[in-house]
Amino acid sequence: QKEVEQDPGPLSVPEGAIVSLNCTYSNSAFQYFMWYRQYSRKGPELLMYTYSSGNKEDGRFTAQVDKSSKYISLFIRDSQPSDSATYLCAMKGSSASKIIFGSGTRLSIRP
Amino acid sequence: NAGVTQTPKFQVLKTGQSMTLQCAQDMNHEYMSWYRQDPGMGLRLIHYSVGAGITDQGEVPNGYNVSRSTTEDFPLRLLSAAPSQTSVYFCASSSGGFGEDYEQYFGPGTRLTVT
C-alpha cells in the first residue's frame, strides 16, 4: 500500500463549479500537508501548505486536513479554465526531510 | 533572478552510457532535491541535500550519484544508464523549514530516454 493515495482522475467540471480534490494517507507521523499544481510539461508549483489539522484559505483555494481520518482536501471555488492542470498532494513528518507525493489528479475545467 | 534552472531539457542515452543532469538555483536556498516523475507514480525523491557538502538518499537512489560543492549547484549523475531510468527529472530548491517565509521552486525538468 502506498503511503499517500490520490485518485488519478481525470476529473472534468464546468467553469464556475467548486472542485474538490482529495488524498488519503497511512503514516500518522505526517504533520505538513502540501498541494502542488502542475501544468502539462512543466515543473510542479507549490500552491499552499498546512501544518497539522485545520483549514487554510488562499484566494479561491482552501486546503483542509483531517488527521483523525488521515484525509486531506483541496477546494477550488469559481473554477476557471486556467485551473486545468494536474494537482499533486504531498506530505512530510515534522522532523523528516523527505516529502512524499501522491500520484496526482488530472483536472479539466470546461468553458 | 532565474529561479531553478535545469539542463539539458531533453536527452537520449544508450544503455550503459553515463551523464550528468545539471541543476542550479540563485535564491541561496539550503535545501535542494532531485525527483523523478513517471506516469501514475507521482514524484519520487532520488537524493537531497540540506546544504553544501551534505547529501542523503531518497526513496529511489540506486543508479544515481549526487554531490553539493556549492550552495547554487546540485548535479545528478547517472552512472550507467538503464531503460528503467527513462523518466522526467525535476530538481527543486527550498528555503528550509516550513515557516512563514517558506518557499519551494521546481525546475522545468529534463526528459530522459534510455534506449
Side-chain angles (χ1 to χ4, degrees), chain A residues 32 36 38 43-44 49 92 97, chain B residues 31 37 90 98-99 104 106:
Chain A
Y32 294 93
Y36 296 79
Q38 185 176 23
Y49 69 90
K92 79 176 206 66
S97 299
Chain B
Y31 191 97
Q37 187 173 37
F90 290 102
F98 275 73
Q104 181 189 40
F106 280 79

Side-chain angles (χ1 to χ4, degrees), chain A residues 2 32 34 36 38 41-44 46 49 92 97-99 101-103, chain B residues 10 31 35 37 40 42-43 45 48 57 90 98-99 102 104 106-107 111:
Chain A
K2 291 182 185 177
Y32 294 93
M34 289 77 77
Y36 296 79
Q38 185 176 23
R41 303 181 83 81
K42 301 286 188 187
L46 178 64
Y49 69 90
K92 79 176 206 66
S97 299
K98 302 174 188 179
I99 298 174
F101 283 82
S103 55
Chain B
F10 302 93
Y31 191 97
Y35 292 88
Q37 187 173 37
L43 287 156
L45 182 65
Y48 65 97
Q57 296 182 349
F90 290 102
F98 275 73
Y102 179 75
Q104 181 189 40
F106 280 79
R111 294 182 176 272

Side-chain angles (χ1 to χ4, degrees), chain A residues 33-97:
Chain A
F33 304 91
M34 289 77 77
W35 286 96
Y36 296 79
R37 177 175 62 197
Q38 185 176 23
Y39 291 115
S40 181
R41 303 181 83 81
K42 301 286 188 187
E45 168 194 8
L46 178 64
L47 281 176
M48 55 200 305
Y49 69 90
T50 53
Y51 173 69
S52 196
S53 283
N55 293 0
K56 187 173 184 179
E57 193 172 313
D58 185 359
R60 295 184 295 111
F61 297 88
T62 299
Q64 225 173 52
V65 174
D66 182 348
K67 290 193 75 182
S68 61
S69 303
K70 296 192 178 69
Y71 189 87
I72 70 170
S73 301
L74 178 71
F75 298 97
I76 307 174
R77 290 185 301 282
D78 187 25
S79 55
Q80 306 293 311
S82 59
D83 295 327
S84 298
T86 296
Y87 289 80
L88 300 127
C89 65
M91 40 201 85
K92 79 176 206 66
S94 57
S95 57
S97 299

Side-chain angles (χ1 to χ4, degrees), chain B residues 10-61:
Chain B
F10 302 93
Q11 183 70 49
V12 178
L13 289 178
K14 291 188 181 343
T15 297
Q17 287 184 317
S18 62
M19 77 160 294
T20 299
L21 279 62
Q22 301 291 345
C23 174
Q25 53 94 5
D26 61 359
M27 297 168 284
N28 203 33
H29 285 165
E30 291 189 0
Y31 191 97
M32 295 186 74
S33 50
W34 276 102
Y35 292 88
R36 59 178 289 174
Q37 187 173 37
D38 303 292
M41 300 288 287
L43 287 156
R44 290 183 293 168
L45 182 65
I46 304 171
H47 285 286
Y48 65 97
S49 168
V50 298
I54 307 168
T55 64
D56 205 348
Q57 296 182 349
E59 299 171 74
V60 288

